[in-house]
Amino acid sequence: MAEESVSTRHFTCPLCEATCGLAAEVDGDGRVLKVRGDADDVFSAGFICPKGASIGELHSDPDRISTPYVRRDGELVAAGWDEAFAAIEAKLAPIREYGDRDATALYLGNPNAHTLDGLIYLRGLAKALGTRNVFSATSVDQLPKQVSSAAMLGSGLSIPIPDVDRTDHMLILGANPLASNGSLMTAPDMRGRLRALRERGGRIVVVDPRRSRTAELADEHHAIRPGRDAHLLAALAHTLVEEGLADPGPLAARIAGLDEIGAAVAPFSPEAVAAACGIGAADIRRIARDLAAAPTAAVYARIGTTTQEFGTLASWLVDVLNVLTGNFDRPGGVMFPLAAAGQTNSRGPGGRGRGFELGRWRSRVRGLPEAFGELPASCLAEEITEPGEGRIRALFTIAGNPLVSTPNVGRLAAALDKLDLLVSVDCYLNETSSRADVVLPVPSPLERAHYDLALYQLAIRNVANFSRPVVEPDPAIEPEWRTLLRLMGIAAGAGPEADVDALDDLVALEVARRETVTEGSPAEGMDAADVLAALGERRGPERILDLMIRCGPYGAGIDGRAGRGDGIALTLGALEGSPHGIDLGPLEPRLPGLLRTPSGRVELCPPLLVADLGRLEAALEREPEPLVLIGRRQLRSNNSWMHNLPHLVRGKDRCTLQVNPIDAERLGLADGAAASVTSRTGTVVVPVEVTDSIMEGVVSIPHGWGHDAPGARLSVAAERPGVNSNLLADDLLVDRLSGNAVLNGIPVAVGPAPDPDRSAQREPVAGPV
């Protein structure tokens, strides 16, 4: 191949939350030859992880579908786009005509947070369906953090982010950023950043039932019993108050509830919680004292603390500690990004708002609460199977695989068979989409423009980076935004032949209208149609993104004359001319401007959360379960769809049951042998990995595996299917406040797997499940 036929294309990796800048070498035929880190990227500075290096494999994966599929005579067969949309209309029309809007439902997967198409157009699809039955991966992940942030600050996306690069002390609970690359903390190269923290004399303390990769790097690791993080956090807060170490600093005048927090955490002395947590009272007091004594400090917690029984309380208590130590909205503590586009808490009067209401409606069967317009995914199956008004008859899954990612997937699999219509928008025929009536493909990540609307709102530094498609889009695959608009047209009753461009104008006009009535927006007072006309000839998500950027905190305005006065006046065109991104500076204090609480203050003791402390106290009297299951993150894995890439699944089997040597001896388990793991909802057989990296009384299986479903077409993943840990996750176990799934601390019984050649088998042991 002639050297001059190879070009380098710069882009942002969309595969996880780190938003790393990458450089792809592409030949004249559009083949991706190599992917490396972009050394000139303003945020990631050349860092790359195995997932980013494998994005070329994802693009060229022969299992990735490029044509719609329609079910005929029980089999999915390739079809044309018009035929596929006509099939959807034929099945949806009778359901829509019945008049029950809640008979339709949406399930939105995690990748939607990484695409412009999903973030911009799914709102319109949900509105066209008119259903209250919207579910997403949020309620099997970070929902408790959003609820606690909204209760304290008035907005679910006002999430405090650790100022990693300037902090002196970091307390990390239930998180493994060396494997996740940061989560609810957009931060490329977390290993390098944490090493730099220690090199400048800082300290890292990790609390986790496992000695994770992050724990191995830390100064201290404390193993905690799963599900007890809220007890530990309350005890740390108790110590700060009791020993006179609480000092919110200048923020005190903007905090409501300072006088109440001492009484709220009074029952949770270190001595009271030590046995429940598995961490000694002296250690708890020392952790609190070290946190208070550090020049700056940040408390950070993630999925291990949110996917548990007290997820919302734990999420709240993390920020109680950040407030009490004077590290809230402070350099080196936890702070709030100011994103260039899409930041809902950056405009308007600020400092005061309507606040947050949880449970504006509830699920039909179990009465679980709505949060931010969604119901908990744990109740999806029952909402399909339970007869009556509002029973879900049609389900649309968009970039989601709930048969791998949600609790009690055995029950959900049976429920999906009762649907009148299942439509999946996906790049694979996976465990869920292979059951669909219609499957609609999407372009690969390299065939679409990219900007991280959501993740820059969670970043440790303010940056902006826009990527053009790395390769020419496959003309056989409709852009996802056009697919979503066609579905929107069908849902609205306009039929499969609805004018997509007219629908796009409708969505864009609604975004423009919101800008024209937003106080402080450059478009305030303008006519929405005039706003769109001023943007030129762009269509689709790029037109709307340009509008958001122009009206954002660094934007040039509609006429290009605005800006911050420091030379920064962003437009989409300006980002297109900056392939390595634009650095917008370190995080700066944003209180009180981002507050949207009715009081105009930080609500340190929201009544909703304080009222739940009684349940937390009562749990201190419970006997611990003999054996519980937790999940674990892996660097070369990100949800279920990354397991079909050879580069990411090579090497030894990673879907194993990690078990402590003491438990292994007690249970009769041998390293490398098979174990049977049973919960209330199911049983799996999984290889054993005996390791002292996990505490006694706890076993661990990674999430996202179990690729042996009939009908799925994932050839690489099928060679190493692993087991689906969500066969064991109990859909009846939820965080009572938010409805979020409990995926950590699941009671299980474990024993050697039955040998079909032997008549007498040892039964799994560990207590009742």
Side-chain angles (χ1 to χ4, degrees), residues 2-13:
E3 185 175 339
E4 58 268 18
S5 66
V6 177
S7 61
T8 300
R9 318 278 175 85
H10 296 96
F11 67 103
T12 301
C13 180

Side-chain angles (χ1 to χ4, degrees), residues 316-334:
W316 164 57
L317 288 163
V318 162
D319 289 318
V320 168
L321 292 179
N322 285 319
V323 169
L324 293 181
T325 56
N327 288 297
F328 202 73
D329 196 38
R330 174 192 177 199
V334 295

Side-chain angles (χ1 to χ4, degrees), residues 264-439:
V265 298
F268 305 99
S269 69
E271 291 74 19
V273 307
C277 295
I279 300 175
D283 283 333
I284 294 173
R285 291 188 181 277
R286 182 177 54 78
I287 293 170
R289 291 165 185 160
D290 289 350
L291 192 66
T296 61
V299 184
Y300 166 69
R302 260 308 280 129
I303 196 166
T305 64
T306 55
T307 55
Q308 59 166 273
E309 180 184 4
F310 300 105
T312 305
L313 284 180
S315 298
W316 164 57
L317 288 163
V318 162
D319 289 318
V320 168
L321 292 179
N322 285 319
V323 169
L324 293 181
T325 56
N327 288 297
F328 202 73
D329 196 38
R330 174 192 177 199
V334 295
M335 304 190 76
F336 301 91
L338 184 61
Q343 188 101 40
T344 56
N345 62 15
S346 66
R347 270 130 13 108
R352 195 178 295 272
R354 292 182 298 176
F356 165 67
E357 182 181 354
L358 180 67
R360 293 174 296 173
W361 60 89
R362 291 186 172 266
S363 66
R364 180 178 60 100
V365 179
R366 213 187 318 171
L368 295 182
E370 165 273 342
F372 310 108
E374 299 181 5
L375 289 172
S378 290
C379 65
L380 175 57
E382 66 204 41
E383 293 297 327
I384 296 172
T385 58
E386 184 70 21
E389 194 75 13
R391 182 182 81 82
I392 295 171
R393 298 170 57 194
L395 175 65
F396 294 79
T397 67
I398 315 294
N401 191 1
L403 282 185
V404 170
S405 58
T406 62
N408 197 355
V409 293
R411 182 183 185 187
L412 181 60
L416 294 187
D417 290 338
K418 299 184 181 298
L419 290 169
D420 296 332
L421 173 64
L422 175 59
V423 177
S424 290
V425 178
D426 211 288
C427 58
Y428 285 114
L429 293 180
N430 59 30
E431 293 77 10
T432 300
S433 60
S434 63
R435 291 171 169 263
D437 298 288
V438 179
V439 185

Side-chain angles (χ1 to χ4, degrees), residues 172-177 206-209 224 229 300-306:
I172 301 173
L173 302 95
N176 187 9
V206 170
V207 177
D208 196 300
I224 187 172
D229 299 85
Y300 166 69
R302 260 308 280 129
I303 196 166
T305 64
T306 55

Side-chain angles (χ1 to χ4, degrees), residues 481-482 484-490 493-507 539:
W481 63 273
R482 295 188 69 87
L484 295 176
L485 285 173
R486 288 191 75 173
L487 290 175
M488 176 180 161
I490 292 172
E497 303 301 327
D499 186 336
V500 172
D501 289 329
L503 291 173
D504 183 37
D505 286 338
L506 188 66
V507 173
R539 304 289 306 179

Side-chain angles (χ1 to χ4, degrees), residues 442-495:
V442 296
S444 95
L446 299 184
E447 294 174 323
R448 59 171 92 197
H450 183 77
Y451 181 89
D452 282 296
L453 267 178
L455 300 181
Y456 288 147
Q457 299 184 52
L458 304 169
I460 64 167
R461 189 174 180 88
N462 295 316
V463 296
N465 203 337
F466 175 79
S467 308
R468 301 297 317 164
V470 174
V471 299
E472 285 296 318
D474 183 344
I477 304 178
E478 285 282 335
E480 186 177 6
W481 63 273
R482 295 188 69 87
T483 295
L484 295 176
L485 285 173
R486 288 191 75 173
L487 290 175
M488 176 180 161
I490 292 172

